[in-house]
Amino acid sequence: MIYPKIPLAQTVIQLCKAKGIKHVVISPGSRNAPLTIGFSNNDFFKCYSIVDERCAAFFAMGIAQQLQEPTAVVCTSGSALLNYYPAVAEAYYSDIPLVVISADRPKHLIGVGDGQTINQPNVFENHILYSANLKLDLKEDENQVGEELPIFKNLENKLETLLGLKQSIQEFNELEINKAINIAFQKSGPIHINAPFDEPLYDRVEKLTVDPEVIPIKQKPLVIDESLLNNCIEDWNAAKRKMILVGVKQPNQIEQQWLNILANDDSVVVFTETTSNIHHENFFPSIDKIIAPLDEAGYKNLQPDIILTFGGLIVSKKIKAFLRNQKPKHHWHIDTIKANDTFFSLNRFIETQPNYFFSKLLAQTKSISSDYRPRWETIKIERRYKHTEYLNNIDFTDLKAFQSILKAIPNYTILQLGNSSTVRYVQLFNINKTLEVYCNRGTSGIDGSTSTAIGCAVATEKQTTLISGDLSFLYDSNGLWNDHIPESFRIIVINNQGGGIFRILPGHKNTDNFNTYFETNHNLTAEHLCRMYGLEYLTTSNELELESNLQSFYSEGAKPKLLEVFTPKNLNDEVLLNYFKFIK
């Protein structure tokens, strides 16, 4: 087998293999050549080459998101590393284990005007779980410019000291790499390994020269403080109005037995977001559709005593406003890593897995007679009826397009959503419960949706569909510069010629600079991008054409497909705002 000659590169690669990091996304460069040589010549690793580092990091994040295991990205020195930052921030807030491995120049070449050099150690300081700043290997060449070598009195002294330093540096690097990767597993988030390499960079050997120590990953046991559990049980049994709100969650993570118990307790309402991937006929999806028309009295009448949350960040602004205005007496959050005080009323962080907590709580609690869920159920039924009535009588717009699109997505496939208006439109519909739904809600940025979706599609045998707004798609169009896109991958772009969501938000829309600086008007399409990157291109601008195209869109083909749906930018906001008035 071929290995890089540099011991530090060998160490990084061997420890990644020992920890089970199989997927490695490499962006071409020279300084990272030792890493590229090692990863790409080892059959254990599945390597991907993606030029644009920002796209590469989101692509890797899509793989990690789908497999729920750390995925590595490898880049050269300099600004290449900074292009990882959007994905690093998203992974940090979405609890996705992204392993960033950057090559660096030797310390003595930083800050002296050498090319492709920046201050790389701790560059992600505010959005990283751990930064391992490794040390440069020492060479045996006595003319080497060392990092900070001591002055030697004689040759024997020098050789002995160099040997000790080399061993010390190797031990330090092994410890730091182990620690960083272990944290990525334990806390499910991004870590950064910065590895300085000196030239020559391309030398290879056929035998390893180092055998790094592998420090096992320690997982925290699932336990709950007995007094905390007893307090929860006492409060749960006393409360007649309990609300559970589920944020971003991987599919099939909550045991059905607990969902059934919660669904059949009249004192409990369970609100689920589209990205929660949790379903039950007694639960309450489409949160905004249900609560948006409520007035102050309605909010007050439905104020919960206890709000219990688990999962990631919440999309719905309306549920946040409701619970911030009508604060519950108790807010508990269940998670193994962190708890966000989203409603400014958090008083219990239950640091464990939701399944484990429910197994302890529901074994010692009882269903309570209450009119809480029945009252919410009446509202839900009314909203669904009005929703259907309104959709049957509107012109073709974004809202109408989403109705047709969501009906057409094949069962048991994956749906990736762009941010901004896309995920919010989808939240208004009762999603097909066989779909697995994902969205980058950590930072909720429009960057990286396409790259993440492609990474997801590569990591699974299930068909993946991405629904994206036009600005989000164009922003991440380099994500298509990718030789790994499966033929089954599908993209639907809702093109309303600008940032249509800004017409929905409060504010003045008829000012001179609104179209330029807020909505960002454009006349661009995806057609030329599809031609350049080898995607089959379809287009539509009315309901009948859309439904017809959707039938052929999901038929098998020799290449990925993109469907661009043109909607009227000056009508979308009016139809959506009138929707909320109508269902009231």
Side-chain angles (χ1 to χ4, degrees), residues 454-526:
I454 295 172
C456 164
V458 164
T460 180
E461 294 181 357
K462 295 182 179 180
Q463 183 175 53
T464 299
T465 299
L466 166 68
I467 305 177
S468 173
D470 49 348
L471 292 188
S472 179
F473 172 74
L474 293 169
Y475 199 89
D476 194 32
S477 60
N478 264 6
L480 300 177
W481 189 5
N482 186 315
D483 294 332
H484 312 288
I485 306 175
E487 293 174 358
S488 64
F489 185 62
R490 299 291 182 266
I491 304 175
I492 300 174
V493 177
I494 308 296
N495 191 335
N496 49 32
Q497 299 87 55
I501 193 170
F502 291 102
R503 288 189 170 271
I504 299 166
L505 298 173
H508 298 289
K509 303 171 182 63
N510 299 314
T511 58
D512 292 338
N513 64 2
F514 179 84
N515 289 347
T516 301
Y517 295 107
F518 290 90
E519 191 177 34
T520 319
N521 277 3
H522 69 86
N523 294 306
L524 302 174
T525 75

Side-chain angles (χ1 to χ4, degrees), residues 1-4 9 11-17 21-26 32-47 72-74 99 101:
M1 189 177 291
I2 297 173
Y3 304 100
T11 304
V12 171
I13 293 156
Q14 287 186 80
L15 287 176
C16 283
K17 180 178 179 179
I21 297 174
K22 303 180 190 70
H23 296 268
V24 182
V25 183
I26 301 170
N32 58 331
L35 296 169
T36 302
I37 291 167
F39 282 120
S40 63
N41 283 287
N42 191 317
D43 291 340
F44 175 83
F45 299 105
K46 171 64 177 173
C47 294
V73 284
V74 177
V99 176
I101 306 173

Side-chain angles (χ1 to χ4, degrees), residues 245 272-275 286-293 299 313-326 342-344 419-421 423-425 427-428 441 443-444 501-507 576 580:
L245 177 57
T272 60
E273 297 219 301
T274 301
T275 51
S286 307
I287 298 173
D288 287 357
K289 179 171 66 183
I290 294 172
I291 72 171
Y299 283 140
L313 300 181
I314 303 297
V315 175
S316 172
K317 290 183 178 180
K318 291 178 171 50
I319 194 72
K320 292 175 190 174
F322 169 34
L323 293 170
R324 287 171 180 174
N325 186 41
Q326 303 294 336
T342 304
F343 317 115
F344 311 125
N419 270 305
S420 201
S421 61
V423 67
R424 298 185 189 282
Y425 270 117
Q427 290 246 120
L428 298 176
R441 291 305 299 175
T443 61
S444 307
I501 193 170
F502 291 102
R503 288 189 170 271
I504 299 166
L505 298 173
L576 184 61
F580 287 109

Side-chain angles (χ1 to χ4, degrees), residues 32 65 217 297 378:
N32 58 331
Q65 175 201 76
I217 301 165
T378 300

Side-chain angles (χ1 to χ4, degrees), residues 420-447:
S420 201
S421 61
T422 298
V423 67
R424 298 185 189 282
Y425 270 117
V426 173
Q427 290 246 120
L428 298 176
F429 295 86
N430 291 346
I431 202 78
N432 178 346
K433 66 180 181 181
T434 71
L435 301 180
E436 298 178 9
V437 185
Y438 298 88
C439 183
N440 290 346
R441 291 305 299 175
T443 61
S444 307
I446 68 167
D447 50 347

Side-chain angles (χ1 to χ4, degrees), residues 8-143:
L8 177 55
Q10 292 182 18
T11 304
V12 171
I13 293 156
Q14 287 186 80
L15 287 176
C16 283
K17 180 178 179 179
K19 305 288 184 183
I21 297 174
K22 303 180 190 70
H23 296 268
V24 182
V25 183
I26 301 170
S27 291
S30 182
R31 188 61 51 170
N32 58 331
L35 296 169
T36 302
I37 291 167
F39 282 120
S40 63
N41 283 287
N42 191 317
D43 291 340
F44 175 83
F45 299 105
K46 171 64 177 173
C47 294
Y48 310 84
S49 178
I50 296 181
V51 174
D52 186 318
E53 282 88 3
R54 188 180 71 182
C55 296
F58 277 109
F59 176 89
M61 203 183 71
I63 296 174
Q65 175 201 76
Q66 187 58 215
L67 299 180
Q68 299 180 60
E69 61 185 40
T71 302
V73 284
V74 177
C75 72
T76 189
S77 63
S79 61
L81 177 60
L82 300 182
N83 284 293
Y84 285 160
Y85 213 137
V88 169
E90 176 63 35
Y92 180 77
Y93 289 108
S94 288
D95 302 328
I96 294 176
L98 188 67
V99 176
V100 175
I101 306 173
S102 58
D104 200 357
R105 293 289 207 272
K107 187 176 179 180
H108 65 271
L109 294 179
I110 307 299
V112 298
D114 216 39
Q116 274 187 282
T117 57
I118 62 171
N119 293 317
Q120 292 184 197
N122 305 315
V123 74
F124 303 120
E125 184 175 6
N126 293 323
H127 300 95
I128 205 80
L129 295 181
Y130 191 77
S131 295
N133 300 305
L134 307 183
K135 295 183 178 181
L136 183 72
D137 288 319
L138 290 184
K139 296 180 182 178
E140 295 179 1
D141 180 2
E142 62 183 77
N143 296 317

Side-chain angles (χ1 to χ4, degrees), residues 55-249:
C55 296
F58 277 109
F59 176 89
M61 203 183 71
I63 296 174
Q65 175 201 76
Q66 187 58 215
L67 299 180
Q68 299 180 60
E69 61 185 40
T71 302
V73 284
V74 177
C75 72
T76 189
S77 63
S79 61
L81 177 60
L82 300 182
N83 284 293
Y84 285 160
Y85 213 137
V88 169
E90 176 63 35
Y92 180 77
Y93 289 108
S94 288
D95 302 328
I96 294 176
L98 188 67
V99 176
V100 175
I101 306 173
S102 58
D104 200 357
R105 293 289 207 272
K107 187 176 179 180
H108 65 271
L109 294 179
I110 307 299
V112 298
D114 216 39
Q116 274 187 282
T117 57
I118 62 171
N119 293 317
Q120 292 184 197
N122 305 315
V123 74
F124 303 120
E125 184 175 6
N126 293 323
H127 300 95
I128 205 80
L129 295 181
Y130 191 77
S131 295
N133 300 305
L134 307 183
K135 295 183 178 181
L136 183 72
D137 288 319
L138 290 184
K139 296 180 182 178
E140 295 179 1
D141 180 2
E142 62 183 77
N143 296 317
Q144 175 194 7
V145 180
E147 302 287 63
E148 287 182 2
L149 294 182
I151 297 174
F152 304 102
K153 293 182 179 179
N154 55 59
L155 181 60
E156 183 179 345
N157 226 358
K158 177 178 179 180
L159 291 175
E160 184 179 339
T161 304
L162 279 174
L163 184 61
L165 279 172
K166 287 177 71 174
Q167 184 176 348
S168 175
I169 288 171
Q170 178 65 23
E171 289 174 353
F172 173 86
N173 288 339
E174 289 178 15
L175 182 63
E176 285 294 288
I177 297 166
N178 270 289
K179 185 175 181 180
I181 297 176
N182 286 359
I183 287 173
F185 276 95
Q186 292 164 334
K187 298 187 176 181
S188 191
I191 59 94
H192 177 206
I193 297 171
N194 191 58
F197 299 126
D198 206 354
E199 297 179 5
L201 302 169
Y202 293 88
D203 287 358
R204 309 174 185 210
V205 294
E206 295 184 358
K207 291 185 178 180
L208 293 167
T209 57
V210 293
D211 182 20
E213 178 186 2
V214 180
I215 300 174
I217 301 165
K218 294 181 180 178
Q219 297 291 356
K220 290 178 62 176
L222 292 175
V223 293
I224 303 176
D225 180 79
E226 197 68 27
S227 62
L228 172 62
L229 178 61
N230 290 335
N231 289 335
C232 288
I233 292 168
E234 182 180 348
D235 291 336
W236 188 267
N237 281 329
K240 291 193 173 183
R241 300 200 294 185
K242 302 180 278 278
M243 181 182 291
I244 296 176
L245 177 57
V246 190
V248 176
K249 197 72 181 164

